[in-house]
């Protein structure tokens, strides 16, 4: 709580900034101010926060279930599998409702992630770098399959949209699915101890009476749904699930009972900040938030790797 | 009472445990000894219900371990697995507190907090409670994991090589504390209810001789001998167990095991 409060205040300030910044000057514009806010700015701000929080939480979950700090949803084939599902439903049932499309994408993402999990049990554990590399290749194969399907069915432009997380297209009525992430975060709250215990190692977790298989399946399902929702509504955002949980873990440790809220708030805050920066650097044009995050996140991550700060417990 | 009845376990077509039958009474320290690859860890994991045997069974207090629900099992047997490897970034207090998880499943009460405090105190970890497990020395780290198993408040504590890579000072420190928890048992009489039964895999024969009052000797997955120390462990047995001539020599009130 002690750490969550400042993070929440920072997020609130960022939210205020995000509502003020954009191609339309709120104080000198022919458009109706409240309409710009209600239809565009507020949905866009909420979308960035929810997507960021969802991806950061998905990152924690995948790191705990696979017991590797260097994996993240973008390195487990999850978004690529979601895209394959989306392509499938777009081709077979083009008129399907958004929720149906999302469900198919989530199911496909779950299959893809579970496939990677099965693969991961065969990857030697000695070198932690190996698993993310295998994930990179696995995601690459699934991504190539998605692109091939898209190319042969003339849907390549869709894949391009799904691949790059961007909030410029977010309008009221087109992002609400992202609120599912808030529900998932609530659900995850019930699993915090189980996830932390999973991080102790499979044998230890089982010796404590944890149903490991059930916990892993629940975790992977939450990851798949969160990633699918993000891919469907705003597009994939790599690195969020890697950078944010690692920053939190490095500074404040792995007890998720203390830190899960912080991961969500920081994930939301970092993505929102990326979106705001993306709106400002080439005003009135925009740079996708995913691009900004990739640059900023990588920089923070490198700095963090070189400045191992002892984390305090309290 | 743990009853092992014709236990056989295979992995990848190889027999790891071969028709093992033995009975472990409650109380005291039992050492599982034997050469590398004898199946010591596997036996411990089997007793904890984490590995399913091909045939035979393990009964704890008369109940088949594989028919006891995981949650209840974790309140009967605590298992400390071999050297931690990567440790999550947790404070010592948080780590020890997870030993209480099988009891509260996420909602710790006053009893849980009290028992965590007691476990920290018992293993001299109170001054280190806020420290990160990662930053502890090898000996302190191991003590923290033993304290976690202790906090599980189970009648049985199964420890898989809890002393590997520790300095003599730490070995003694941990073993003395375990001795306090599980005072020597006399013959087959049942130990007082409050005391624990400690079952551990040991490589150091000197330490095993000094602390354990019951021995289980495994070789190539087979049970070579088991029973109370003084009537079971002989120079001949040890020599056969380790395939190298060893002798036992009385030195004042203890014994040393030396190459023959």
């Amino acid at each position: 709580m002690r750490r969550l409060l400042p993070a929440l205040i920072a997020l609130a300030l960022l939210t205020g900034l995000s509502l003020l910044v954009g191609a339309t000057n709120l104080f000198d514009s022919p458009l109706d101010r409240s309409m710009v806010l209600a239809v565009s700015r507020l949905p866009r701000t909420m979308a960035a926060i929810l997507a960021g929080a969802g991806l950061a939480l998905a990152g924690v979950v995948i790191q705990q279930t696979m017991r590797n700090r260097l994996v993240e949803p973008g390195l487990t084939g999850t978004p690529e599998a979601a895209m394959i599902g989306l392509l499938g439903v777009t081709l077979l049932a083009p008129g399907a409702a958004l929720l149906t499309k999302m469900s198919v994408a989530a199911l496909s993402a779950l299959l893809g992630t579970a496939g990677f999990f099965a693969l991961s049990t065969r990857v030697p554990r000695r070198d932690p770098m190996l698993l993310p590399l295998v994930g990179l290749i696995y995601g690459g194969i699934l991504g190539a399959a998605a692109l091939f399907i898209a190319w042969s069915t003339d849907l390549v432009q869709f894949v391009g949209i799904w691949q790059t997380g961007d909030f410029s297209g977010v309008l009221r009525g087109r992002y609400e699915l992202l609120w599912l992430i808030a529900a998932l975060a609530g659900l995850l709250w019930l699993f915090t101890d189980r996830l932390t215990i999973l991080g102790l190692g499979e044998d230890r977790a089982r010796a404590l009476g944890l149903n490991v298989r059930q916990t892993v399946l629940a975790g992977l399902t939450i990851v798949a749904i969160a990633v699918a929702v993000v891919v469907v509504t705003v597009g994939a955002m790599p690195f969020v699930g890697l950078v944010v949980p690692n920053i939190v873990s490095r500074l404040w440790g792995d007890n998720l009972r203390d830190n899960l809220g912080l991961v969500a708030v920081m994930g939301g805050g970092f993505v929102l900040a990326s979106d705001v920066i993306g709106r400002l650097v080439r005003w009135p044009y925009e740079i996708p938030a995913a691009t900004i995050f990739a640059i900023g996140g990588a920089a923070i991550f490198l700095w963090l790797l070189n400045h191992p700060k002892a984390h305090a417990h309290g | 009472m743990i009853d092992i009845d014709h236990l056989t376990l295979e992995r990848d077509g190889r027999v790891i445990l071969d028709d093992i039958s033995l009975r472990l009474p409650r109380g005291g320290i039992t050492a599982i000894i034997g050469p590398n690859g004898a199946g010591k860890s596997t036996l411990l994991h089997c007793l904890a219900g984490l590995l399913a045997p091909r045939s035979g069974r393990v009964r704890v207090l008369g109940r088949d371990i594989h028919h006891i629900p995981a949650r209840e099992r974790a309140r009967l047997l605590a298992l400390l697995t071999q050297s931690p490897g990567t440790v999550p970034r947790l404070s010592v207090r948080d780590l020890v507190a997870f030993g209480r998880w099988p009891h509260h499943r996420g909602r710790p009460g006053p009893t849980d907090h009290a028992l965590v405090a007691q476990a920290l105190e018992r293993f001299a970890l109170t001054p280190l409670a806020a420290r990160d497990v990662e930053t502890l020395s090898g000996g302190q780290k191991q003590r923290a994991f033993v304290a976690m198993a202790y906090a599980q408040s189970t009648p049985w504590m199964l420890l898989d090589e809890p002393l590997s890579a520790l300095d003599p000072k730490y070995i003694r420190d941990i073993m003395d504390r375990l001795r306090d928890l599980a005072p020597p048992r006399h013959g087959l009489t049942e130990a007082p209810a409050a005391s624990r039964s400690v079952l551990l895999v040991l490589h150091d024969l000197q330490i095993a001789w000094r602390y354990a009052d019951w021995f289980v000797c495994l070789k190539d997955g087979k049970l070579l001998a088991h029973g109370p120390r003084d009537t079971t462990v002989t120079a001949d047995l040890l020599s056969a167990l380790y395939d190298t001539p060893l002798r036992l020599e009385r030195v004042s009130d203890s014994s040393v095991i030396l190459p023959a």
Side-chain angles (χ1 to χ4, degrees):
Chain A
M1 229 31 206
R2 201 156 40 85
R3 294 186 281 263
L4 195 56
L5 196 63
L8 279 172
I9 292 170
L11 183 64
L13 292 174
L14 211 52
T15 303
L17 186 65
S18 168
L19 294 176
L20 293 176
V21 169
T24 310
N25 184 341
L26 282 187
F27 305 102
D28 178 24
S29 157
L31 293 168
D32 179 13
R33 217 179 283 169
S34 58
M35 202 193 73
V36 171
L37 277 175
V39 174
S40 164
R41 294 279 169 82
L42 191 62
R44 179 174 188 162
T45 303
M46 290 319 297
I49 293 173
L50 288 167
L55 290 174
L57 290 174
V60 170
V61 175
I62 206 103
Q63 280 146 23
Q64 292 296 111
T65 48
M66 304 221 173
R67 291 210 304 119
N68 186 316
R69 288 185 200 287
L70 300 175
V71 292
E72 69 120 17
L75 293 172
T76 55
T78 314
E80 289 83 3
M83 287 175 208
I84 291 177
L86 265 181
L87 281 170
V89 76
T90 308
L91 288 169
L92 299 175
L98 192 58
L99 194 64
T100 313
K101 285 186 175 172
M102 205 291 292
S103 306
V104 174
L107 198 66
S108 173
L110 178 59
L111 287 176
T113 316
F116 181 69
F117 184 80
L119 194 66
S120 78
T121 57
R122 291 168 181 274
V123 176
R125 291 266 148 185
R126 215 155 296 149
D127 183 359
M129 284 305 290
L130 201 55
L131 193 59
L133 286 176
V134 171
L136 204 64
I137 296 166
Y138 180 79
I141 294 170
L142 291 186
L147 199 60
F148 179 75
I149 298 170
W151 176 74
S152 33
T153 52
D154 224 2
L155 292 172
V156 175
Q157 49 169 351
F158 284 102
V159 174
I161 292 168
W162 297 331
Q163 270 173 342
T164 315
D166 179 16
F167 298 95
S168 59
V170 173
L171 291 172
R172 187 171 63 192
R174 286 181 54 188
Y175 87 104
E176 281 73 4
L177 217 48
L178 279 170
W179 283 101
L180 251 178
I181 284 174
L184 287 177
L187 198 63
L188 208 52
W189 185 247
L190 302 173
F191 276 95
T192 46
D193 275 357
R194 284 177 174 79
L195 284 173
T196 310
I197 290 173
L198 214 52
L200 293 171
E202 178 169 351
D203 278 350
R204 265 189 226 129
R206 291 178 60 204
L208 285 174
L210 184 77
N211 188 332
V212 169
R213 189 179 297 208
Q214 197 185 0
T215 310
V216 166
L217 187 64
L220 295 185
T221 306
I222 287 174
V223 169
I225 297 175
V227 171
V229 169
V230 172
V231 168
V232 170
T233 49
V234 295
M237 309 249 313
F239 297 122
V240 179
L242 180 69
V243 171
V244 176
N246 271 289
I247 290 176
V248 171
S249 165
R250 206 164 255 268
L251 297 179
W252 299 294
D254 283 336
N255 196 345
L256 295 178
R257 185 178 274 267
D258 298 337
N259 293 338
L260 197 73
L262 205 58
V263 169
V265 171
M266 276 178 71
F270 278 24
V271 170
L272 181 59
S274 306
D275 186 44
V276 170
I277 294 167
R279 276 180 256 166
L280 288 175
V281 280
R282 283 186 65 217
W283 191 87
Y285 304 105
E286 294 193 4
I287 295 173
T291 310
I292 300 287
F293 189 94
I295 299 167
I300 294 173
F301 199 59
L302 286 176
W303 174 78
L304 203 68
L305 284 179
N306 287 314
H307 292 80
K309 188 194 153 193
H311 35 282
H313 293 285
Chain B
M1 189 92 68
I2 297 182
D3 278 302
I4 304 171
D5 196 14
H6 296 292
L7 189 71
T8 298
L9 187 137
E10 277 179 15
R11 197 184 283 160
D12 304 326
R14 209 167 69 89
V15 177
I16 312 278
L17 296 175
D18 190 359
D19 195 27
I20 288 176
S21 295
L22 70 107
R23 164 174 284 197
L24 298 166
R26 278 217 51 190
I29 295 181
T30 302
I32 303 177
I33 61 169
N36 296 324
K40 304 183 294 290
S41 288
T42 310
L43 179 63
L44 216 58
H45 279 72
C46 238
L47 296 186
L50 299 196
L51 283 176
R54 195 195 66 182
S55 62
R57 28 177 213 171
V58 175
R59 276 176 301 168
V60 178
L61 301 171
R63 295 168 67 194
D64 190 324
I65 189 80
H66 285 101
H67 295 156
I68 303 177
R71 180 180 174 175
E72 209 183 321
R73 198 184 61 214
R75 289 190 238 147
L76 280 176
L77 305 134
L79 172 71
L80 173 63
T81 54
Q82 235 170 78
S83 61
T86 51
V87 179
R89 292 174 180 140
L90 291 175
S91 70
V92 173
R93 177 179 286 111
D94 287 351
L95 180 78
V96 174
F98 274 116
R100 297 299 307 159
W101 194 76
H103 298 269
H104 62 66
R105 304 285 279 192
R107 258 163 289 164
T111 326
D112 298 301
H113 295 303
L115 286 169
V116 170
Q118 192 206 330
L120 290 170
E121 197 57 45
R122 182 133 210 175
F123 286 88
L125 291 164
T126 311
L128 303 173
R131 281 269 296 276
D132 200 299
V133 179
E134 256 188 345
T135 66
L136 300 181
S137 72
Q140 293 168 331
K141 200 181 287 181
Q142 195 61 330
R143 220 161 65 207
F145 275 97
V146 177
M148 175 188 175
Y150 172 74
Q152 221 171 314
S153 308
T154 52
W156 273 282
M157 288 172 70
L158 315 181
L159 314 174
D160 195 357
E161 294 191 34
L163 308 177
S164 56
L166 293 189
D167 291 342
K169 179 181 133 193
Y170 291 119
I171 289 179
R172 202 179 161 158
D173 180 60
I174 287 184
M175 289 311 296
D176 282 345
R177 288 174 206 280
L178 290 176
R179 176 83 284 173
D180 286 348
L181 297 178
R185 115 187 103 202
H186 303 289
L188 273 169
T189 51
E190 286 291 293
S195 72
R196 309 286 183 94
S197 318
V198 172
L199 191 63
L200 33 66
V201 173
L202 287 179
H203 270 299
D204 187 330
L205 292 176
Q206 222 63 63
I207 295 297
W209 179 273
R210 189 189 151 117
Y211 287 96
D213 28 49
W214 202 272
F215 277 76
V216 173
C217 308
L218 286 182
K219 187 183 184 183
D220 298 329
K222 293 189 179 67
L223 183 65
L224 224 58
H226 72 103
R229 182 189 74 175
D230 292 324
T231 56
T232 309
V233 182
T234 61
D236 286 346
L237 171 73
L238 292 178
S239 305
L241 191 61
Y242 290 97
D243 278 327
T244 182
L246 293 168
R247 63 197 163 97
L248 259 169
E249 202 142 292
R250 289 262 158 207
V251 177
S252 62
D253 64 338
S254 186
S255 293
V256 286
I257 293 152
L258 299 164

